[in-house]
Amino acid sequence: MSTTLASGSSEVGRLARSVLGIFKLRIGVMIMVTGLVGALVAPTASLGVGQWLVLAMSVLMASASAGAFNQYYEFESDARMGRTRNRAFVTGALRRRPLWLAVMAAMLAGAVAAAWQVLNPLAAIFVFLGAFFYGVVYTVWLKRRTWLNIVVGGLAGSFAVLAGAAAVDTQIGALPGLLAVTLFLWTPPHFWSLAIANEAEYAAAGVPMLPVVVGPERAAQAVFVSAVLLVAGSLLPVAFGAGLVYLLCSVAGGTYFVYRAWQLTRSVNRGTAIGSFLASIVQLSAVLVGASVDAWLR
């Protein structure tokens, strides 16, 4: 009996991990945080507890629905890539049925409806656009057609910031607007670094990521230039009221990312590409922490 119960518990645990895995919750949580920071840096951040909760959950649910759709739609190319071949729709841990599309649509509709009802229509529209740009514009329209896929698709993260800002005030201020620009500039060097590390897999899957199209060396140069532009853009909020904490965090995180991106140009290999990829996460985290602390101090 105990063996049977243990086996059943193990199966339930595996199923739960499979279900949670298709929603890309780690990415979703980061996008949720950007939405909350977008609200924090708005000049008149005055949401109630319930509104903060709805903002967080609506952005997270919309992101999760888009992430699940990405895995549902991309299951064939995922099977040809080492880092994605163990995803649930590829392995059969979850059967790829149309019912999943209904679940994803319901999640997105619920997220947008909650934001519309509790926040305001503009915030709800931004919540929708974030999921739409990742799920449809990037995954369906651009990913297999052009190396610009991740550039345009990067707007998905920017919309989360704008959703947070709009939840506070439909007149988007300079600080959240510039933070949204920072998210847009961040996405290409972040994903191109990862694409360099996995260039052979993207080529095998037929996905025209930048290093597949122009080669890893030229892509590394693009990562470095993009990182420099990102850091320059991340400093612009200082001219519009961001304080010393934000400045120090942006400079520290940005310097580290630029250094790692420069190392990538000097020696293009998987190790330096992953180093640049991880440094981009450090840079974004530093910007978000700096913006949050600065807003709290104000």
Side-chain angles (χ1 to χ4, degrees), residues 34 37-38 41 161 174-184 237 246 287-288 291:
T34 65
V37 175
V41 301
V161 178
L175 286 180
L178 289 172
L179 186 60
V181 171
T182 298
L183 261 293
F184 175 71
Y246 177 84
V287 166
L288 295 176

Side-chain angles (χ1 to χ4, degrees), residues 139-150:
T139 300
V140 178
W141 294 348
L142 299 179
K143 186 173 182 179
R144 293 184 168 277
R145 290 182 171 86
T146 173
W147 64 270
L148 290 170
N149 48 21
I150 206 62

Side-chain angles (χ1 to χ4, degrees), residues 120-145:
N120 58 63
L122 183 59
I125 289 170
F126 285 139
V127 168
F128 170 78
L129 287 176
F132 178 78
F133 263 74
Y134 184 73
V136 178
V137 175
Y138 168 68
T139 300
V140 178
W141 294 348
L142 299 179
K143 186 173 182 179
R144 293 184 168 277
R145 290 182 171 86

Side-chain angles (χ1 to χ4, degrees), residues 33-47 52 55 160-161 163-168 176 179 295:
V33 170
T34 65
L36 295 175
V37 175
L40 279 172
V41 301
T44 57
S46 57
L47 298 178
W52 281 108
L55 172 61
V161 178
V168 176
L179 186 60

Side-chain angles (χ1 to χ4, degrees), residues 211-292:
V212 176
V213 175
V214 304
E217 288 75 19
R218 288 181 64 188
Q221 295 290 337
V223 168
F224 177 74
V225 172
S226 298
V228 172
L229 291 175
L230 163 64
V231 174
S234 72
L235 295 177
L236 289 177
V238 177
F240 292 87
L244 180 61
V245 174
Y246 177 84
L247 175 63
L248 293 176
C249 288
S250 297
V251 169
T255 300
Y256 179 63
F257 185 23
V258 169
Y259 171 68
R260 285 295 195 177
W262 175 79
Q263 284 186 317
L264 176 60
T265 65
R266 305 294 293 176
S267 178
V268 183
N269 57 63
R270 180 173 175 80
T272 54
I274 292 297
S276 178
F277 170 77
L278 294 175
S280 71
I281 298 175
V282 172
Q283 186 273 339
L284 179 60
S285 299
V287 166
L288 295 176
V289 168
S292 301

Side-chain angles (χ1 to χ4, degrees), residues 3 42 48 63-64 78 96 120 145 189 193 195 220 265 270 293-294:
T3 302
S63 173
D78 281 349
R96 189 174 172 275
N120 58 63
R145 290 182 171 86
S193 296
T265 65
R270 180 173 175 80
V293 173
D294 186 66

